[in-house]
Amino acid sequence: GAVVSQHPSWVICKSGTSVKIECRSLDFQATTMFWYRQFPKQSLMLMATSNEGSKATYEQGVEKDKFLINHASLTLSTLTVTSAHPEDSSFYICQGLASSYNEQFFGPGTRLTVL
Amino acid sequence: AQSVAQPEDQVNVAEGNPLTVKCTYSVSGNPYLFWYVQYPNRGLQFLLKYITGDNLVKGSYGFEAEFNKSQTSFHLKKPSALVSDSALYFCAVRDRNFGNEKLTFGTGTRLTIIP
């Protein structure tokens, strides 16, 4: 299957700082990227859907000014957690949609810990 | 709205025995159905999917799932469990309509294979 990478795989930051997570589709063009958050022992919760070149669509309850999503190219989407707080500590997973063959591929996830 | 239910938080099976992880879904129209596996601190790995055709779908690592439209179920099965199958399993559903590619996940079932 196709490959999606995420960077960094884990990050520890101080409260109040911003953290950027990159999601790259390595061998396909992802016209749509999905960002999920997973708290310990819980399921994946969709945060937002982003289409290349347009603004992301956020799920209810997700603050768009706190979780900035940029999808500037068909192979790269970024999620920036602004002014991070300990409650933002979570596992963040991206997923790329390869529209050419209507398949979806997950990245390996990024573990964010905010102190 | 689409939804997925995984009624069991935890399933324990002796090594070598058959295993079943249950999943039921609700979606308007005909669904795409998926099973994913997640190991600790890792992203989701695709196991199998139902799109159309044969109701019995075979996937990775010897897993299979049976689509039952009348019972709106998509239970995951394996004839003989391995200790290495111990992980967190997620069922997911997606609408077939183009432009609505969001996946909805169940809450997950932790499968423990006992040696």
Side-chain angles (χ1 to χ4, degrees), chain A residues 38 43 46 95 103-104 108 111, chain B residues 38 41 43 49 101 103 106:
Chain A
Q38 184 183 29
S43 188
L46 180 65
Q95 180 191 31
E103 291 274 358
Q104 294 165 292
R111 170 77 58 197
Chain B
Q38 186 181 34
N41 293 311
K49 66 182 176 184
E101 292 89 356
L103 282 174

Side-chain angles (χ1 to χ4, degrees), chain A residues 32 34 36 38 41-44 46 49 59 91 93 95 97 99 102-104 106-109 111, chain B residues 32 34 36 38 41-46 49 88 90 94 96 98 101-108 110:
Chain A
T32 302
F34 302 91
Y36 296 86
Q38 184 183 29
K41 300 184 179 181
Q42 294 188 26
S43 188
L44 278 72
L46 180 65
T49 303
E59 296 298 300
F91 195 51
I93 303 173
Q95 180 191 31
L97 172 64
S99 57
N102 200 21
E103 291 274 358
Q104 294 165 292
F106 283 93
R111 170 77 58 197
Chain B
Y32 290 150
F34 304 81
Y36 292 91
Q38 186 181 34
N41 293 311
R42 305 285 289 275
L44 271 67
Q45 294 181 30
F46 170 79
K49 66 182 176 184
L88 189 56
F90 290 100
R94 209 199 90 179
R96 286 180 178 268
F98 179 77
E101 292 89 356
K102 290 193 294 186
L103 282 174
T104 299
F105 287 87
T107 50
R110 183 162 302 280

Side-chain angles (χ1 to χ4, degrees), chain A residues 80-101:
Chain A
T80 301
V81 183
T82 62
S83 187
H85 291 283
E87 57 265 30
D88 298 324
S89 298
S90 187
F91 195 51
Y92 292 87
I93 303 173
C94 71
Q95 180 191 31
L97 172 64
S99 57
S100 58
Y101 42 99

Side-chain angles (χ1 to χ4, degrees), chain A residues 29-33 49-56 70-77:
Chain A
Q29 293 186 328
T31 52
T32 302
M33 288 277 199
T49 303
S50 72
N51 292 302
E52 185 262 339
S54 62
K55 289 184 178 180
N70 183 281
H71 192 170
S73 78
L74 288 172
T75 58
L76 173 64
S77 177

Side-chain angles (χ1 to χ4, degrees), chain B residues 25 33 50 55 65-75:
Chain B
Y25 67 90
L33 292 158
Y50 171 80
N55 289 343
E66 185 165 12
F67 171 61
N68 188 317
K69 188 173 183 178
S70 63
Q71 297 184 6
T72 61
S73 67
F74 191 56
H75 301 330

